[in-house]
């Protein structure tokens, strides 16, 4: 990327400040301007890309600087005030995942230009290495390879006379024990800097695997430092229980709450016995907050309308749009669009090999942003990726460029004629555009606001609109929705596969989300045994359905079928004639069996990609009324694996392979309307919003915004 950046937050109130961190290759200067997106979709066959320039005092040229993005997690402790000259031993218990990947650091000391490291050698055995200025480095390496995903005790000793010894001791020997010696110079005097899971001086040769109880001892066996990773599991601090309290700072988000070498299999919640969770899993492709210096700081003018915005940065070498939401300083409408930024963050930097090359031609033809995460691996991975060692990515920071979460962008080659292939930012912007097109004044806020403020973020509004794919929520957010409905609020869910996974932000690292893909659900990786509880917050990870808070209860429907990015029509069923939903059909001529939503800018139809249906077994309210079904029976569509108990689905196919358009009233005078499809948002603006699906949905918005209470049937 020649020019890119990130914002310090997802949303900002009118009158408040937001910072932008920019990296410009070669330090080229760049221009900044701000735009509001009326339509963020670059598809020339779509509603029509439309950005409005929003002048600010920052408009114009800014000086550029190139910033680095380093991958690989490690621990760092500065200035250990210990005398090493009598001899020193470095030790750790390890569970390496890529012992054959070349040199990797485990525990390393640096005093000036001198370094002493315990690591994995180039041939895959434990290694002790001493490097000193102007001298050839000395290395001892066990001539037996470490086996991957097995526990070992490893140690490196540098004696007063400079003799160097390394040992590797398997917990369950398979002929893989060994030791080696070499001759080096003696340890120098001075304050030692410590690196864990990497080699000095700049952290390099990152380790893949679990590291437990790294320690430094004197020749007499006295503890100089001993880090206990079972302490402070939710934090980015590794506690040194030794005499110098040389606590290590964890950089680039290694994974904590990992089972240790002493894990018995009896305890599954780390909070029950943290001592069985004394391991940290480091990865050579972990990415944390980049920490770039701020390039531009905007005070949002108070007259900028709430909506979808971006900082447009540009120079001769490239351009980028850094997206953000403007919230009103005070609520200004009865309706609020809740932008699913938790889901954006969990998906952000989704590396799909070959995607950049695949979309390049269309991006050029459409004037769309061409950059993709697979072409920019320096910005890390998403929770939809595996690490290089095959383990799942469970931690994601928002403080890095998410090149796949941008306006003026599409994310896949839409298989439908005229389709946009949009997702996330652009797909939710369709809903914003459509609300404006029907004259429904609305505010825009984000998931991150909802997590920060709880139900207070929703309380000023009569109608909350959840977006195209609001898949990830925290406990606090789920509670906020329930509380909002409990107060008579009205919730419209205009997407699919929503309210599906638990996600947890860190208390001391609120830019970072954790997702543990436990037990069930369509998922690209799964947690390993004993590792299904989040380090952040300590909650049990996985599907809200498994945790007892299924979206069936909240919105009547839940994820039940997944397939290609192809959309199909809905058809009204008898429920549409029920007097309870007479408001939906005002001014429309409808009948049961009639298709609608058979066009769209996402997959060519309103019911597609990921669909949600009712299921009373998991909590669909008994009075929920299905008014239309988008049944999709197609060879590329199948049921979700939480329903895959045997080779046959427990229900008839038409009962689950569908998007159920569902309505129900609440006891508090509110109501819920759910559509259960990820391509629905792409159909709202068909024919300028004057299609049947647009008009029907507009009728729902108008009734939901009307203060007259809904009453339970019967
Ligand atoms: Fe999803």
């Amino acid at each position: 990327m020649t020019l890119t950046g990130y914002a310090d937050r997802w949303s900002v109130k009118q009158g408040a400040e937001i910072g932008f961190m920019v990296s410009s290759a070669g330090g080229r200067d760049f221009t900044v301007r701000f735009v509001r997106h009326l339509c963020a979709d670059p598809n020339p066959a779509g509603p029509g890309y439309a950005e409005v320039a929003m002048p600010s005092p920052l408009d114009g040229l800014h000086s550029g600087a190139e910033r680095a993005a380093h991958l690989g997690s490690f621990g760092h402790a500065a200035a250990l005030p210990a005398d090493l000259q009598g001899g020193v031993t470095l030790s750790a218990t390890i569970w390496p995942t890529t012992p054959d990947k070349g040199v990797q650091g485990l525990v390393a000391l640096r005093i000036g230009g001198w370094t002493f490291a315990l690591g994995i050698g180039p041939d895959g055995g434990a290694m002790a290495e001493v490097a000193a200025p102007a001298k050839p480095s000395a290395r001892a390496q066990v001539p037996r390879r470490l086996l991957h995903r097995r526990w070992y005790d490893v140690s490196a000793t540098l004696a007063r006379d400079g003799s160097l010894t390394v040992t590797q001791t398997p917990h369950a020997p398979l002929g893989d024990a060994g030791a080696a010696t070499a001759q080096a110079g003696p340890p120098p005097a001075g304050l030692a800097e410590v690196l864990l899971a990497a080699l000095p001086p700049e952290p390099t040769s990152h380790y893949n695997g679990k590291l437990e109880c790294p320690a430094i001892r004197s020749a007499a066996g006295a503890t100089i430092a001993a880090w206990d990773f079972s302490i402070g599991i939710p934090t980015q601090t590794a506690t040194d229980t030794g005499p110098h309290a040389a606590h290590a700072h964890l950089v680039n988000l290694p994974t904590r709450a990992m089972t240790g070498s002493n894990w018995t299999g009896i305890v599954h919640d780390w909070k029950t016995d943290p001592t069985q969770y004394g391991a940290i899993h480091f990865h050579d492709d972990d990415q944390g907050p980049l920490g770039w210096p701020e390039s531009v700081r905007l005070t949002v003018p108070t007259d900028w309308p709430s909506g979808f915005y971006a900082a447009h940065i540009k120079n001769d070498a490239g351009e980028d749009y850094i997206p953000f939401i403007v919230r009103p300083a005070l609520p200004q409408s009865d309706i609020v669009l809740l932008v699913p930024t938790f889901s954006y963050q969990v998906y952000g930097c989704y590396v799909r090999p070959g995607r950049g090359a695949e979309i390049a031609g269309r991006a050029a033809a459409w004037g769309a942003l061409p950059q993709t995460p697979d072409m920019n691996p320096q910005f890390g991975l998403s929770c939809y990726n595996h690490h290089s060692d095959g383990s799942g990515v469970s931690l994601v920071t928002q403080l890095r460029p998410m090149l796949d979460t941008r306006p003026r962008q599409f994310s896949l080659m839409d298989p439908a004629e005229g389709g946009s292939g949009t997702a996330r930012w652009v797909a939710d912007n369709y809903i914003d555009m459509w609300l404006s097109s029907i004259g429904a004044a609305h505010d825009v806020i984000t998931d991150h606001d909802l997590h920060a403020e709880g139900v207070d973020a929703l309380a000023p509004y009569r109608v909350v609109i959840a977006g195209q794919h609001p898949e990830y929520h925290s406990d606090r957010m789920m509670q906020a929705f329930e509380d909002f409905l409990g107060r008579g609020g009205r919730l419209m869910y205009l997407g699919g596969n929503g309210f599906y996974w638990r996600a947890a932000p860190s208390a001391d690292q609120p830019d970072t989300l954790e997702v543990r893909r436990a037990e069930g659900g369509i998922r690209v990786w799964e947690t390993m045994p004993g590792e299904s509880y989040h380090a952040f917050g300590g909650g049990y990870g996985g599907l809200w359905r498994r945790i007892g808070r299924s979206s069936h209860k909240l919105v009547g429907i839940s994820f039940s079928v997944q397939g290609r990015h192809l959309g199909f029509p809905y058809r009204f069923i008898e429920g549409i004639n029920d007097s309870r939903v007479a408001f939906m059909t005002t001014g429309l001529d409808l009948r049961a069996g009639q298709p609608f939503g058979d066009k769209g800018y996402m997959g060519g139809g309103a019911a597609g990609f990921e669909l949600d249906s009712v299921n009373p077994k998991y909590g669909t309210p008994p009075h929920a009324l299905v008014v239309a079904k988008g049944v999709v029976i197609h060879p590329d569509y199948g049921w979700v694996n939480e329903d895959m108990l045997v080779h046959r689905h427990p229900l008839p196919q038409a009962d689950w392979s569908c998007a159920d358009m569902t309505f129900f009233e609440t006891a508090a005078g509110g109501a819920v309307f759910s559509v259960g499809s990820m391509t629905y948002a792409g159909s709202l603006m068909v024919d300028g919003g004057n299609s049947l699906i647009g008009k029907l949905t507009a009728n729902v918005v108008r009734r939901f915004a009307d203060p007259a209470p809904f009453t339970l049937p019967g």
Side-chain angles (χ1 to χ4, degrees), residues 62-385:
H62 294 257
S63 55
E66 186 165 338
R67 307 296 182 193
H70 295 295
L71 295 173
S73 55
F74 59 96
H76 177 247
L80 185 65
D83 176 10
L84 308 178
Q85 288 183 288
V88 58
T89 293
L90 311 179
S91 65
T93 298
I94 63 170
W95 190 79
T97 47
T98 60
D100 48 359
K101 204 173 180 177
V103 172
Q104 296 162 60
L106 296 169
V107 185
L109 298 174
R110 183 176 79 87
I111 300 174
W114 176 88
T115 61
F116 171 40
L118 166 65
I120 298 173
D123 298 328
M127 169 191 83
E129 185 174 54
V130 173
K135 288 184 186 165
S137 61
R139 178 186 286 172
Q141 188 187 184
V142 175
R144 293 186 191 283
R145 284 178 179 275
L146 296 153
L147 302 176
H148 69 92
R149 295 177 184 266
R150 297 178 66 82
W151 287 104
Y152 295 86
D153 294 328
V154 290
S155 73
T157 298
L158 178 62
R160 170 200 291 259
D161 65 0
S163 61
L164 191 58
T165 307
V166 62
T167 65
Q168 97 186 19
T169 308
H171 288 199
L174 288 173
D176 48 345
T181 59
Q183 189 62 40
L191 291 175
E193 182 184 6
V194 182
L195 277 185
L196 303 174
L199 292 180
E202 292 305 314
T204 180
S205 300
H206 292 276
Y207 167 60
N208 278 318
K210 292 187 196 179
L211 181 68
E212 186 177 82
C213 55
I216 304 170
R217 291 189 175 79
S218 71
T223 297
I224 297 172
W227 289 274
D228 183 346
F229 295 160
S230 72
I231 300 171
I233 281 176
T235 74
Q236 303 304 316
T237 299
T239 297
D240 172 19
T241 60
H244 306 294
H247 307 313
H249 176 52
L250 299 172
V251 179
N252 278 346
L253 300 171
T255 309
R256 303 194 70 165
M258 293 279 107
T259 54
S261 61
N262 61 341
W263 183 61
T264 59
I266 294 171
V267 173
H268 287 256
D269 177 357
W270 61 267
K271 302 185 300 300
T272 305
D273 183 6
T275 65
Q276 293 189 42
Y277 288 83
I280 294 180
H281 197 139
F282 293 86
H283 307 93
D284 63 4
D285 51 8
D286 276 326
Q287 177 72 277
L290 291 181
W292 293 351
E294 189 171 273
S295 307
V296 174
R297 188 162 196 82
L298 170 71
T299 301
V300 174
T302 52
D303 60 351
W304 284 14
S306 181
F308 287 66
Y309 287 74
H312 182 209
I313 53 177
K314 194 170 195 289
N315 62 21
D316 290 343
E319 68 177 322
D320 197 7
Y321 286 80
I322 307 172
F324 62 102
I325 294 293
V326 171
R327 302 175 64 181
L330 294 169
Q332 293 171 353
S333 308
D334 291 334
I335 301 169
V336 68
L337 172 58
L338 178 62
V339 178
T341 49
F342 262 43
S343 298
Y344 295 171
Q345 185 169 333
V346 172
Y347 269 99
C349 298
Y350 185 177
V351 172
R352 292 186 256 208
R355 181 54 56 89
E358 184 189 352
I359 70 164
R362 181 172 285 184
W366 288 5
L369 296 179
Q371 51 261 27
T372 55
D374 61 299
M375 302 180 88
N376 293 275
Q378 70 273 23
F379 297 133
L381 300 165
S382 76
C383 289
Y384 284 80
N385 289 117

Side-chain angles (χ1 to χ4, degrees), residues 619-709:
T620 299
H623 64 298
L625 182 65
V626 179
V627 299
K629 294 177 87 73
V631 177
V632 180
I633 295 179
H634 185 281
D636 292 333
Y637 279 74
W639 68 84
V640 299
N641 57 7
E642 56 268 33
D643 287 334
M644 192 180 291
L645 307 178
V646 293
H647 67 290
R648 281 194 298 265
H649 199 282
L651 297 172
Q653 189 169 10
D655 285 5
W656 59 263
S657 196
C658 56
D660 282 338
M661 182 179 280
T662 303
F663 166 81
F664 62 93
E665 307 86 348
T666 68
V672 174
F673 173 76
S674 300
V675 302
S677 164
M678 274 179 59
T679 61
Y680 193 92
S683 293
L684 289 171
M685 282 306 295
V686 166
D687 298 334
N690 288 312
S691 67
L692 183 50
I693 200 167
K695 289 177 177 173
L696 174 95
T697 318
N699 280 344
V700 178
V701 172
R702 291 191 190 102
R703 173 62 186 96
F704 275 36
D706 182 337

Side-chain angles (χ1 to χ4, degrees), residues 347 384 469 471-472 497 562 610 678:
Y347 269 99
Y384 284 80
H469 188 30
E471 185 175 0
Y472 294 86
N497 181 214
Q562 182 176 38
E610 299 187 357
M678 274 179 59

